Amino acid sequence: MSLTPDRFDEFFHAVYEKDPFPWQSRMARELAGGDWPDCIDLPTASGKTSLIDIAVFTLACQASLPVDQRSIGRRIFFTVNRRVIVDEAHTHSISLAKSLLSEKDGIINEVADALRSIGGETDIPLDVAQLRGGIYRDVSWARSITQPMVVCTTADQLGSRILFRGYGVSSRMQPIHAALTACDSVLLLDEAHVTKAFSQTLRLIQKYQQHKPGLRFVEMTATPTNETTKRFTLSDEDRSHPVLQERQNASKPAELLLEKPKAFVPAIAKWAKDSVNDQRKAIGIIVNRVQTARDVYDVLNNQFPGDTHLVIGRMRPLDRDELQKKLRELVGPARPKVLEKPVFIVATQCLEVGADYDFDALITECASIDALRQRFGRLNRKGRDIEAKAAIITSEAAIKEDDDPVYGQSLKKTWEWLTESDRKSVDFGITSFAALWENVDREKADSLTNITPDAAVLLPAHLDALCQTNPQPVPSPDVSYFIHGPQRDNLEVNVCWRSDLGTDQTLWAEIVAMIPPTSPECMTVPLRVVRQWMLNVAPPIDADIPVKDTSDTPKSATPPQTVLRWRGADDAIPINNPNDLRPGDTIVIPAPIAPTSSDANALGHIPASETGYVFDLAEQACAVARRQRIIRVHPDVHPELHTILKKYIAEEEQLTKGSIREKLGTLSAGFTNGPDEIPYPSTNDQNPPGIVLRFKGLLPKTHDWKPTVIFEDGDDDSSSESQEPVSLSRHVQDVVRYTTANVEKAGLTSLVSLFETAAKHHDNGKADRRFTALLAGVSPYEVFERPPLAKSGDGRLSHAERLVRSKRAMLPPGFRHEMLSLQIVEHFYDHLINDPTIDRELLLHLIAAHHGHARPFAPVVIDATNDETRSVDLSDLTISISPQQRREWIEPHRLDSGVAERFWDLTRKHGWWGLAWYEAILRLADCQASEMEQKGASK
């Protein structure tokens, strides 16, 4: 039986053991027979997250269609500007992906097989990724152009990527991220009215696209950014559905409370406690500012320790995962009918949109009317047969404000409308409120709504600047203006803490490079908050949505905090000037020795555990992000292990390979190779403060969803390092195989010959004997009889080790093998570049750009080697590049080399994203081949 749209109900029931709502079945039918609507308008608690299931099922149904005839892109982006909701969508997607991976028969297996046929080389039917805060080289989601994938993300993470400026993404990876977001993809933007500016920009991007398949953009909101020609909403059949009917008709009366500023927090806490009875035990508190949430949390937690939970947007993913695991069982989908004891969830705006939490009682601070309606979606969300209780509270000071920093004039006007005609309460049940709201005229309604700013208009001139990723032009457009508009501050950086930095700041970069930061340990924090923290001044007005930045440049009487700004091992420096930070930067902070609650709340929220406040999560994060076990034997991380180390050194006088492994016993269980023992850097090399044990192999897949090995596309020739040596000829064969498969799966059969040729010659420059010497760790005079290598087999080298090897191999600083590949093809393969069936210029550009350079210039490298060590030995070409030839060649880094002109000609021909798409095909095939070679599975 073939997959058809009318089998969606069967698929949905097989996955979730329940029938879909009528609108879900109708959407599956309409989507398969046409295209996405311009706007999807569905009320809260109607199951909008299931659009992911519908999109995945439809993609499977269309597996046999040509790529440009599908209504679904391979990459499905579910985007909403609330991190908690991103997490929930991610959890939902993981559940779906696991079902597709594990089922071996029935319709689920049919869908899985269809998705596998689309993906090609992988056995994974559906991959799942989450973009929280970008971390340098955290690119596991961007490894394939063919893999069906669901990506859950925020507007900032997606918007910065599609505009070639991915926050926290290296400049060399930015074109790949731009291509994967803008090509063969569909973007579902939930609560689009919250990010109106981003919606406007995405509409323009759709108009600017020249490539196919491109981006399909769908707004999910009741108030779209423009007039829609095709709108999808609930039908009468949906409204009469018993489950949806219960949710729509549930009563949610809210009393209106006005308090003096000093009594505001105590009044909220008292109302929450007084609301508890046998039926109401899950109490929600949603306020407008982070500090207010902390104050309420402190009051309630003193009386209900362990049963009061603080939820704000700024938490580390590892901490948030643990908290959400608890909340799912208390107020989430897994909550029991009756809780054993009361629980209090204190939150900011991070819970107001889409969170699948179900409170019995809710008190919310007054906000704009649209924010309030969203918040009441968390009260009796399932329409249970209970007497729900609610209150809206504000302070006398708040309603005197003409322009609230968070909600502008809408907060004051909303309170005035709520209390007009001496109303004491308002029913925020969906049906009841709709009846009240329909009598409000458009002008009045607009004044009560938090009007988000328009985007700066994205012009072709902006895209000309943005597509230049390496090097970037100066000045370069600030993409936040196209995501949020010019009037709001939403710039962010990533923050993590480390306990092993020590007092010598000159060693910080080298210490962190031993275990680079990863997303799970990093907290995403507004840039302005970090800058004020560095200056030791009071934090600004702070919410979990963009706010107006009304603060002046702060001044401090105390010395500023020093942090490590991490942009990769080659660009990591201690800084104490807040103005040295840029959006998307990662900073590493020395963890406090005896942390207090003020430390834990200085930049976000670090929950207390049984052992107190835990700041350093590097080892746990490495296990999650890289599936790699690393143990730091350091006095400030594992003092008990460090005591063993010191004793051993005293007894044995020196360390030998494997010695610490033997002493640590069970810590190394399950690993037959290693660990590597890497001493900490020290000003006294004879007495390092500790060692890092780096175990070889991968940890089991026990956390979240990690279906494949993460391959990191290096920002230098570290991408040529691996655990086992790989010959150049073998690597080229692998890249050709992956490239051919990807081009065919992408529907670009007319370009197969061109891409095969580019793949065959992309690494010609690695045949330079000096490069072979670099990988072998010897001088070029010692490799005349050795075949060229593509991978070293010596594992990951430190930056210092790489520099030593490069000097020994007589390679000039910054040598780029791909630029030599370009020259070799230009000067020795005339039959290729003159082939009328191959686009000569595109071929040369793909070779030059396959590590992210030549957009638009090649890096400046002065190669002055004058002897025979510059010979090149390829399977079909052996040459000695003489000084005379070198003088005759136009070096790629010269302005008149043609590299930049070629880039611009191809950009005009294929479009900003189209050229990046072609680059991504070759580059990701190279990554896939390297990944398989590292796993020893290359065929």
Side-chain angles (χ1 to χ4, degrees):
M1 187 184 298
S2 62
L3 286 174
T4 56
D6 56 8
R7 297 185 67 194
F8 174 75
D9 291 16
E10 178 188 353
F11 171 70
F12 192 90
H13 191 277
V15 175
Y16 299 108
E17 298 182 347
K18 61 181 180 181
D19 293 329
F21 293 137
W23 76 260
Q24 294 166 334
S25 303
R26 181 161 48 93
M27 171 64 82
R29 293 192 300 271
E30 292 184 9
L31 190 56
D35 207 342
W36 287 93
D38 301 315
C39 173
I40 297 175
D41 177 10
L42 297 170
T44 187
S46 58
K48 285 185 288 186
T49 311
S50 66
L51 285 166
I52 294 172
D53 306 272
I54 296 169
V56 169
F57 178 78
T58 305
L59 178 60
C61 289
Q62 298 178 349
S64 61
L65 293 178
V67 176
D68 58 356
Q69 293 182 24
R70 296 172 187 159
S71 59
I72 305 293
R74 280 184 172 90
R75 283 163 295 282
I76 302 160
F77 293 92
F78 190 90
T79 308
V80 61
N81 228 27
R82 297 288 188 276
R83 293 188 192 94
V84 173
I85 318 309
V86 170
D87 290 342
E88 287 195 353
H90 183 239
T91 300
H92 177 93
S93 302
I94 288 172
S95 175
L96 174 62
K98 287 182 176 178
S99 295
L100 290 165
L101 185 62
S102 60
E103 289 292 334
K104 303 304 180 186
D105 52 30
I107 190 170
I108 296 178
N109 187 58
E110 290 181 56
V111 171
D113 284 344
L115 294 174
R116 288 188 182 98
S117 73
I118 293 172
E121 286 283 334
T122 178
D123 291 331
I124 306 298
L126 180 70
D127 204 351
V128 177
Q130 184 177 26
L131 303 180
R132 303 194 203 192
I135 298 299
Y136 200 84
R137 290 186 179 177
D138 187 5
V139 296
S140 58
W141 76 278
R143 68 178 183 278
S144 170
I145 67 162
T146 61
Q147 173 68 57
M149 176 175 288
V150 175
V151 183
C152 304
T153 179
T154 61
D156 285 279
Q157 292 301 318
L158 182 63
S160 63
R161 282 166 170 77
I162 203 170
L163 292 173
F164 293 90
R165 289 294 184 271
Y167 290 154
V169 180
S170 69
S171 61
R172 298 186 194 176
M173 286 299 294
Q174 284 171 344
I176 288 182
H177 286 235
L180 292 179
T181 51
C183 304
D184 199 6
S185 60
V186 59
L187 195 164
L188 305 174
L189 182 61
D190 195 11
E191 305 301 337
H193 57 277
V194 176
T195 49
K196 182 178 72 173
F198 188 38
S199 293
Q200 293 168 336
T201 296
L202 288 170
R203 294 288 181 205
L204 279 175
I205 288 174
Q206 280 190 306
K207 293 180 180 179
Y208 287 146
Q209 286 182 331
Q210 295 175 229
H211 58 281
K212 290 183 179 180
L215 166 71
R216 295 171 177 83
F217 166 51
V218 184
E219 290 183 298
M220 297 164 60
T221 178
T223 54
T225 55
N226 59 359
E227 293 298 323
T228 59
T229 57
K230 187 179 180 183
R231 189 184 186 115
F232 186 94
T233 188
L234 295 184
S235 65
D236 291 339
E237 182 185 8
D238 293 306
R239 295 185 184 92
S240 62
H241 188 279
V243 175
L244 288 177
Q245 195 173 54
E246 285 181 351
R247 297 177 182 182
Q248 298 281 309
N249 294 336
S251 179
K252 304 177 184 182
E255 58 181 320
L256 306 174
L257 306 175
L258 181 65
E259 293 288 344
K260 295 185 180 299
K262 290 185 178 180
F264 187 66
V265 168
I268 292 176
K270 183 178 185 303
W271 188 96
K273 290 182 293 183
D274 291 347
S275 297
V276 175
N277 63 18
D278 291 340
Q279 205 178 42
R280 294 189 298 264
K281 293 186 178 179
I283 314 300
I285 301 107
I286 302 180
V287 294
N288 296 346
R289 302 183 185 180
V290 172
Q291 190 56 52
T292 307
R294 288 174 176 153
D295 292 341
V296 174
Y297 169 79
D298 288 340
V299 173
L300 289 172
N301 194 50
N302 285 335
Q303 301 176 49
F304 302 92
D307 297 316
T308 304
H309 304 279
L310 177 63
V311 185
I312 64 175
R314 296 208 306 271
M315 296 180 68
R316 296 176 297 188
L318 283 175
D319 292 330
R320 188 184 298 125
D321 288 346
E322 288 300 313
L323 176 59
Q324 287 185 344
K325 194 180 300 181
K326 296 177 184 176
L327 295 184
R328 285 190 197 103
E329 297 174 354
L330 295 172
V331 294
R335 65 164 289 170
K337 289 185 178 180
V338 179
L339 293 171
E340 294 182 1
K341 54 183 179 178
V343 294
F344 301 90
I345 314 299
V346 186
T348 56
Q349 296 90 345
C350 67
L351 281 194
E352 72 185 22
V353 176
D356 194 8
Y357 293 164
D358 194 357
F359 299 129
D360 304 326
L362 172 71
I363 182 168
T364 171
E365 187 173 356
C366 187
S368 62
I369 196 66
D370 53 312
L372 290 177
R373 294 179 73 176
Q374 292 290 346
R375 295 177 188 186
F376 276 93
R378 301 328 112 208
L379 176 62
N380 194 15
R381 182 173 176 81
K382 305 299 184 184
R384 292 170 289 126
D385 185 19
I386 64 169
E387 185 183 349
K389 184 179 180 182
I392 300 172
I393 188 170
T394 192
S395 70
E396 294 174 349
I399 59 173
K400 289 179 181 177
E401 286 274 352
D402 288 329
D403 195 12
D404 181 75
V406 182
Y407 292 103
Q409 297 181 357
S410 61
L411 187 153
K412 178 180 179 181
K413 291 184 179 296
T414 295
W415 182 257
E416 291 172 350
W417 176 76
L418 289 172
T419 56
E420 69 183 16
S421 302
D422 295 324
R423 269 198 300 248
K424 302 300 181 184
S425 68
V426 175
D427 193 335
F428 272 80
I430 295 174
T431 300
S432 297
F433 190 84
L436 177 65
W437 189 247
E438 67 181 7
N439 297 318
V440 179
D441 63 63
R442 180 62 182 268
E443 183 178 354
K444 181 75 169 179
D446 287 345
S447 71
L448 306 182
T449 303
N450 187 28
I451 304 297
T452 56
D454 292 322
V457 179
L458 181 67
L459 299 174
H462 294 131
L463 288 168
D464 278 346
L466 292 168
C467 76
Q468 299 178 61
T469 53
N470 197 7
Q472 293 181 7
V474 178
S476 179
D478 183 346
V479 296
S480 68
Y481 288 95
F482 307 115
I483 302 172
H484 298 289
Q487 296 119 10
R488 295 271 166 161
D489 175 26
N490 206 56
L491 307 179
E492 295 178 325
V493 295
N494 304 294
V495 179
C496 76
W497 289 261
R498 294 292 176 85
S499 300
D500 57 350
L501 296 183
T503 57
D504 189 346
Q505 296 177 5
T506 62
L507 298 177
W508 282 5
E510 204 171 341
I511 291 170
V512 173
M514 299 171 78
I515 311 180
T518 54
S519 294
E521 64 177 316
C522 285
M523 181 184 293
T524 306
V525 184
L527 176 58
R528 60 193 174 86
V529 173
V530 172
R531 283 176 170 166
Q532 296 198 274
W533 171 83
M534 287 181 66
L535 292 172
N536 301 297
V537 298
I541 291 172
D542 201 6
D544 267 330
I545 58 174
V547 301
K548 293 181 180 179
D549 188 2
T550 58
S551 58
D552 297 325
T553 302
K555 296 181 180 180
S556 173
T558 58
Q561 305 273 3
T562 300
V563 301
L564 179 74
R565 188 189 67 194
W566 175 265
R567 294 175 179 169
D570 296 337
D571 189 5
I573 58 172
I575 62 169
N576 57 19
N577 183 352
N579 293 323
D580 289 337
L581 290 176
R582 294 293 179 267
D585 277 345
T586 295
I587 65 170
V588 184
I589 302 174
I593 297 174
T596 63
S597 60
S598 60
D599 294 317
N601 289 322
L603 294 173
H605 176 47
I606 296 179
S609 66
E610 294 179 0
T611 57
Y613 298 102
V614 179
F615 278 76
D616 189 330
L617 296 176
E619 291 165 13
Q620 299 94 310
C622 192
V624 171
R626 296 192 174 98
R627 289 175 50 207
Q628 185 176 33
R629 178 176 291 171
I630 290 180
I631 299 172
R632 292 169 293 169
V633 185
H634 188 280
D636 295 327
V637 181
H638 293 297
E640 71 287 355
L641 299 184
H642 190 261
T643 301
I644 296 174
L645 173 64
K646 286 178 63 178
K647 183 174 183 294
Y648 181 72
I649 293 175
E651 292 175 353
E652 302 292 334
E653 296 184 354
Q654 62 179 354
L655 288 172
T656 59
K657 187 82 171 171
S659 57
I660 300 303
R661 171 198 173 93
E662 295 171 2
K663 291 290 181 180
L664 297 181
T666 57
L667 284 174
S668 59
F671 291 88
T672 56
N673 298 315
D676 292 333
E677 298 171 5
I678 308 167
Y680 269 85
S682 172
T683 50
N684 180 2
D685 292 335
Q686 301 302 314
N687 186 28
I691 61 172
V692 172
L693 301 179
R694 186 166 60 193
F695 291 83
K696 298 179 181 179
L698 296 174
L699 288 168
K701 302 171 187 175
T702 57
H703 185 97
D704 268 345
W705 177 250
K706 296 292 176 186
T708 59
V709 176
I710 295 174
F711 177 76
E712 298 176 354
D713 180 65
D715 287 325
D716 47 37
D717 283 319
S718 63
S719 61
S720 299
E721 298 162 5
S722 63
Q723 297 298 329
E724 299 294 335
V726 179
S727 69
L728 180 59
S729 60
R730 174 191 169 189
H731 177 65
V732 168
Q733 291 172 5
D734 291 337
V735 176
V736 169
R737 176 165 59 87
Y738 277 100
T739 301
T740 303
N742 289 347
V743 171
E744 291 175 346
K745 287 293 181 183
L748 301 172
T749 52
S750 63
L751 297 177
V752 169
S753 179
L754 181 145
F755 275 95
E756 282 184 345
T757 303
K760 182 178 179 182
H761 295 281
H762 79 290
D763 268 354
N764 280 358
K766 286 187 176 181
D768 189 310
R769 279 207 177 86
R770 297 168 302 170
F771 196 86
T772 301
L774 168 73
L775 299 184
V778 298
S779 75
Y781 301 103
E782 300 173 70
V783 295
F784 275 91
E785 302 301 323
R786 299 191 188 190
L789 291 173
K791 308 290 178 183
S792 66
D794 292 328
R796 301 286 290 185
L797 300 176
S798 70
H799 181 60
E801 289 172 324
R802 205 175 301 125
L803 290 177
V804 170
R805 282 195 174 198
S806 182
K807 187 174 182 180
R808 185 186 300 134
M810 301 175 65
L811 277 174
F815 173 80
R816 298 304 318 173
H817 70 271
E818 66 269 29
M819 296 306 161
L820 180 55
S821 300
L822 169 68
Q823 291 178 313
I824 291 171
V825 171
E826 279 186 301
H827 295 282
F828 294 101
Y829 289 94
D830 293 340
H831 64 288
L832 295 178
I833 60 177
N834 294 323
D835 185 340
T837 65
I838 292 178
D839 185 333
R840 174 188 188 275
E841 298 304 303
L842 182 56
L843 171 67
L844 295 176
H845 176 75
L846 291 177
I847 292 172
H850 84 265
H851 276 289
H853 290 288
R855 294 186 64 86
F857 302 113
V860 175
V861 178
I862 307 302
D863 192 349
T865 305
N866 288 314
D867 59 22
E868 68 277 10
T869 60
R870 194 172 175 175
S871 62
V872 174
D873 185 8
L874 292 164
S875 59
D876 61 342
L877 178 70
T878 300
I879 57 174
S880 179
I881 303 172
S882 68
Q884 177 64 29
Q885 286 174 312
R886 188 170 62 254
R887 283 192 294 271
E888 292 174 355
W889 291 3
I890 298 178
E891 295 287 349
H893 65 258
R894 282 178 42 165
L895 291 178
D896 60 347
S897 67
V899 169
E901 289 85 349
R902 183 179 300 120
F903 167 77
W904 285 117
D905 288 344
L906 292 169
T907 297
R908 294 291 175 258
K909 181 177 180 180
H910 301 290
W912 296 287
W913 295 278
L915 182 59
W917 177 240
Y918 288 158
E919 293 171 22
I921 291 173
L922 176 61
R923 293 184 65 188
L924 292 181
D926 194 0
C927 291
Q928 288 173 298
S930 297
E931 179 182 318
M932 296 306 294
E933 289 158 0
Q934 287 191 29
K935 295 192 325 187
S938 182
K939 299 179 181 178

